[in-house]
Amino acid sequence: MTLSRRTLLGGATLLTAEAGGLRPFAAMAQPGAAPLRAAMTGFTTINTLDPGKAAINPEFYIIWGVFNTLVKFDAKMNVVGDLAESWTNPDATTWEFKLRQGVHFHDGSELTAEDVVFTFQRIADEKFGSPVRRKMAPLVSVEAVDAHTVRMKTDKPFAPLLTYLTNTRTSTQIVCKKAVLAMGDEQYGRTPVGSGPWKLTEWRPNEKLSFAAHTEYFERGLPKAPALEVMLIRDDSSAINALAAGGLHFVNAVPYGDTERVKRMASVAFSSMPGLNARFAQFNIQRPPFDDVHFRRAVSMSINRQAFVQAVVFGQAVPSQGYIPQAISWAYDREPRPYAQYNPQAAKAELAKSRYGADVEVVVYGMPDAWWKRMSEVFVDMVNRTLGTKFRVEFMDSRTHFQRWMANDGQCWPNGWIALCDPDEYLFDCFHSTGWRNFSKYSNPQVDSLLEQARQELDREAKGGPLYMQAERLIAEDCPSVFLMNTYSNSAVLKRVTGFDHTPFDGFGAQLAPMTVG
């Protein structure tokens, strides 16, 4: 049975994109007769489903269910095999992966080492223009030893490689060489052929994506449901209403303001845990007043993070003093960092040391959507109340906000990173002087050295973790960002749905494969 949007919109209320008004949302038919229906909330735009071209979160949310990678994270954030049954390090710069045999793409063709080599050749090709080309730069060669063995070499020991080969936001999902060459890159992004549990059957832009179960999927018994429909719903609360009425089975993000309401719903199971993300206010340290470290420290110490969490997300977050979240436990530092603690007296003392006084004017670029708006407003209010400064917020849409941030065109941007799974992504990418997301051009030679050392320590927990912690302490002293909070990942699922396993890394598409409607 294929549900059209008209059929689906029949019971509970759903805010539609057409007019911003309320439309009805249908309840389930017979249990198990209809597809598993999930909502991706807060997003409606997906430009491509080609892993090598993907750049925004909703694209990856779908890609995770359509494709596989060499390795993946388990529920405890350990790296385990996916397409690779095993792997070894013959030496510090060489990795060999033994592929599973009998893995098939959605078109029936067998996945071999040739597809793996082709995937990484595309990423490395400057003309192809993959957003993660720089991220995978340490990988200097990928070769097929035989049909089911792949050898990778890096220019120097590169410890984050395994993380970057997982089914995360790294674009290393293995594509089907045969299908890409037959379709061309653009068409492949519209009609992807992967090896994952879900095979795309229909894509209605800004509305929904439909999938059939991949009947030749190599993990026996998955996916559990015969089909999947992913609704793209911008308004989070409308998705919750649809879930309560049975028109949806799963909602990937529960609005922080709706958590108490969801907990009271008899038919819904609510799940919450600290996620893999960083929420912060980034400074342009090239421009006044944030070119002064004392001013930056004053701002950082003026924020009561515990109160901030309560005011912005109703307590649904962990106050943070760095980028690395608790879920990456081996690199998470619990020792207090003075400049990341609320201390009004010390904040005023730092302000007095700076070249700028309380009369300085600062424009904070904020986003007007949901709790992001509140985040900017509370940040500005706390700074002004503590320091007597003249911070004010100027709101702009998220696309413009990010473009201005990337161009370092402004003074301050409350923002965040999500779905990052390695300390290298949080620190090297954002604070190394060559990091591709170091938009403020922060540079500290000691931080650079520590992060470069951490990258080369294959014993990550015993040797790499302490190096990342040292680097983050130095970053916290320099305050190129005000670290604010690590928000929770909140999900809701109907109680008659089984197989949902909430993990710090929300795999969405892949996360749906074990779920079935009772």
Short mmCIF file of all heavy atoms in Angstrom, two decimals, residues 4 50 57 81 89 102 112 131 180 200 206 219 227 259 307 322 324 343 353 371 384 408 449 494 507:
data_model
loop_
_atom_site.label_atom_id
_atom_site.label_comp_id
_atom_site.label_asym_id
_atom_site.label_seq_id
_atom_site.Cartn_x
_atom_site.Cartn_y
_atom_site.Cartn_z
N SER A 4 -0.55 8.31 -0.22
CA SER A 4 -0.31 9.64 -0.76
C SER A 4 -0.40 10.64 0.37
O SER A 4 -0.87 10.34 1.46
CB SER A 4 -1.37 9.96 -1.82
OG SER A 4 -2.64 10.09 -1.20
N ASP A 50 23.39 11.73 -2.88
CA ASP A 50 24.70 11.19 -3.24
C ASP A 50 25.62 11.46 -2.05
O ASP A 50 25.88 12.62 -1.72
CB ASP A 50 25.23 11.89 -4.49
CG ASP A 50 26.57 11.36 -4.96
OD1 ASP A 50 27.30 10.74 -4.16
OD2 ASP A 50 26.92 11.58 -6.14
N ASN A 57 22.44 18.26 7.14
CA ASN A 57 22.01 17.17 8.01
C ASN A 57 20.89 16.30 7.44
O ASN A 57 20.98 15.08 7.49
CB ASN A 57 21.60 17.72 9.37
CG ASN A 57 22.77 18.27 10.15
OD1 ASN A 57 23.87 17.75 10.05
ND2 ASN A 57 22.54 19.31 10.92
N GLY A 81 32.31 -3.67 12.70
CA GLY A 81 32.24 -3.87 11.26
C GLY A 81 30.87 -3.59 10.68
O GLY A 81 29.85 -3.79 11.32
N ASN A 89 46.03 -3.34 10.98
CA ASN A 89 47.03 -2.30 10.73
C ASN A 89 48.39 -2.98 10.52
O ASN A 89 49.11 -3.20 11.48
CB ASN A 89 47.14 -1.32 11.91
CG ASN A 89 45.99 -0.35 11.98
OD1 ASN A 89 45.20 -0.41 12.89
ND2 ASN A 89 45.90 0.54 11.02
N GLY A 102 28.94 -11.49 -0.69
CA GLY A 102 27.52 -11.64 -0.92
C GLY A 102 26.69 -10.42 -0.58
O GLY A 102 25.47 -10.53 -0.43
N THR A 112 31.83 -4.98 -4.29
CA THR A 112 33.19 -5.50 -4.21
C THR A 112 34.16 -4.38 -3.86
O THR A 112 33.79 -3.21 -3.75
CB THR A 112 33.62 -6.14 -5.54
OG1 THR A 112 33.77 -5.11 -6.53
CG2 THR A 112 32.61 -7.18 -6.01
N PRO A 131 32.31 17.92 -0.53
CA PRO A 131 32.52 18.81 0.63
C PRO A 131 33.52 18.26 1.64
O PRO A 131 34.04 19.02 2.45
CB PRO A 131 31.12 18.92 1.24
CG PRO A 131 30.18 18.59 0.13
CD PRO A 131 30.90 17.58 -0.70
N VAL A 180 26.61 4.65 -10.78
CA VAL A 180 27.09 6.03 -10.95
C VAL A 180 27.51 6.25 -12.40
O VAL A 180 27.16 7.27 -13.02
CB VAL A 180 28.25 6.33 -9.99
CG1 VAL A 180 28.86 7.70 -10.32
CG2 VAL A 180 27.79 6.30 -8.54
N LEU A 200 15.14 3.60 -2.16
CA LEU A 200 14.27 4.73 -2.50
C LEU A 200 13.32 4.37 -3.64
O LEU A 200 13.74 3.85 -4.67
CB LEU A 200 15.12 5.94 -2.91
CG LEU A 200 14.35 7.23 -3.25
CD1 LEU A 200 13.71 7.81 -2.00
CD2 LEU A 200 15.28 8.25 -3.89
N ASN A 206 10.51 18.46 -0.53
CA ASN A 206 9.93 19.24 0.57
C ASN A 206 8.71 18.60 1.21
O ASN A 206 8.03 19.22 2.02
CB ASN A 206 9.56 20.65 0.09
CG ASN A 206 10.74 21.38 -0.50
OD1 ASN A 206 11.83 21.37 0.05
ND2 ASN A 206 10.53 21.99 -1.66
N GLU A 219 22.26 -7.96 6.44
CA GLU A 219 21.96 -8.23 7.84
C GLU A 219 20.61 -8.94 7.92
O GLU A 219 19.57 -8.34 7.67
CB GLU A 219 21.94 -6.94 8.66
CG GLU A 219 23.30 -6.33 8.87
CD GLU A 219 23.30 -5.30 10.00
OE1 GLU A 219 22.75 -5.61 11.07
OE2 GLU A 219 23.83 -4.20 9.78
N ALA A 227 8.14 -1.46 4.21
CA ALA A 227 8.33 -0.19 3.52
C ALA A 227 8.44 0.92 4.57
O ALA A 227 8.11 0.73 5.74
CB ALA A 227 7.16 0.10 2.57
N THR A 259 8.42 18.43 25.68
CA THR A 259 8.81 17.17 26.30
C THR A 259 7.84 16.73 27.40
O THR A 259 7.50 15.54 27.49
CB THR A 259 10.24 17.24 26.87
OG1 THR A 259 10.34 18.33 27.78
CG2 THR A 259 11.25 17.44 25.75
N ALA A 307 21.63 28.19 34.35
CA ALA A 307 20.42 28.99 34.12
C ALA A 307 20.14 29.13 32.63
O ALA A 307 18.98 29.16 32.21
CB ALA A 307 20.58 30.36 34.77
N GLY A 322 33.43 23.11 26.82
CA GLY A 322 34.24 22.75 25.67
C GLY A 322 33.35 22.20 24.58
O GLY A 322 32.13 22.10 24.75
N ILE A 324 33.85 19.04 23.03
CA ILE A 324 33.74 17.59 23.06
C ILE A 324 32.65 17.17 24.04
O ILE A 324 32.68 17.52 25.22
CB ILE A 324 35.07 16.94 23.44
CG1 ILE A 324 36.15 17.30 22.41
CG2 ILE A 324 34.93 15.41 23.53
CD1 ILE A 324 37.54 16.83 22.78
N ASN A 343 31.22 33.54 36.71
CA ASN A 343 31.91 34.26 37.78
C ASN A 343 31.81 35.75 37.48
O ASN A 343 32.71 36.34 36.86
CB ASN A 343 33.38 33.81 37.85
CG ASN A 343 34.09 34.33 39.08
OD1 ASN A 343 33.76 35.40 39.60
ND2 ASN A 343 35.08 33.58 39.55
N LYS A 353 40.52 44.75 32.26
CA LYS A 353 41.84 44.55 31.65
C LYS A 353 41.82 44.74 30.15
O LYS A 353 42.88 44.91 29.52
CB LYS A 353 42.34 43.13 31.95
CG LYS A 353 42.60 42.81 33.40
CD LYS A 353 43.05 41.35 33.53
CE LYS A 353 43.17 40.91 34.96
NZ LYS A 353 43.53 39.46 35.05
N TRP A 371 14.09 27.35 19.32
CA TRP A 371 14.92 27.66 20.48
C TRP A 371 16.20 28.37 20.10
O TRP A 371 16.86 28.96 20.95
CB TRP A 371 15.21 26.40 21.28
CG TRP A 371 15.95 25.33 20.54
CD1 TRP A 371 15.42 24.32 19.82
CD2 TRP A 371 17.38 25.18 20.48
NE1 TRP A 371 16.42 23.54 19.29
CE2 TRP A 371 17.62 24.04 19.67
CE3 TRP A 371 18.45 25.88 21.01
CZ2 TRP A 371 18.91 23.59 19.39
CZ3 TRP A 371 19.74 25.44 20.72
CH2 TRP A 371 19.95 24.31 19.92
N ASN A 384 24.83 41.35 28.90
CA ASN A 384 24.54 42.75 29.22
C ASN A 384 24.26 42.95 30.71
O ASN A 384 24.68 43.95 31.30
CB ASN A 384 23.35 43.24 28.39
CG ASN A 384 23.71 43.45 26.93
OD1 ASN A 384 24.89 43.55 26.58
ND2 ASN A 384 22.71 43.52 26.07
N ASN A 408 33.29 34.90 7.97
CA ASN A 408 33.78 35.68 9.11
C ASN A 408 33.34 37.13 8.99
O ASN A 408 34.07 38.07 9.34
CB ASN A 408 35.30 35.59 9.22
CG ASN A 408 35.80 35.72 10.64
OD1 ASN A 408 35.06 35.44 11.59
ND2 ASN A 408 37.04 36.14 10.81
N SER A 449 50.02 21.89 17.73
CA SER A 449 50.93 20.79 17.99
C SER A 449 50.23 19.64 18.71
O SER A 449 50.40 18.47 18.36
CB SER A 449 52.12 21.28 18.82
OG SER A 449 52.99 20.22 19.15
N LEU A 494 5.73 5.51 19.00
CA LEU A 494 4.53 4.86 19.52
C LEU A 494 4.92 3.60 20.28
O LEU A 494 5.81 2.86 19.86
CB LEU A 494 3.59 4.49 18.37
CG LEU A 494 2.86 5.63 17.64
CD1 LEU A 494 1.87 5.05 16.64
CD2 LEU A 494 2.15 6.55 18.61
N GLY A 507 21.21 7.67 14.13
CA GLY A 507 21.45 7.25 12.76
C GLY A 507 20.25 7.43 11.85
O GLY A 507 20.34 7.18 10.65
#
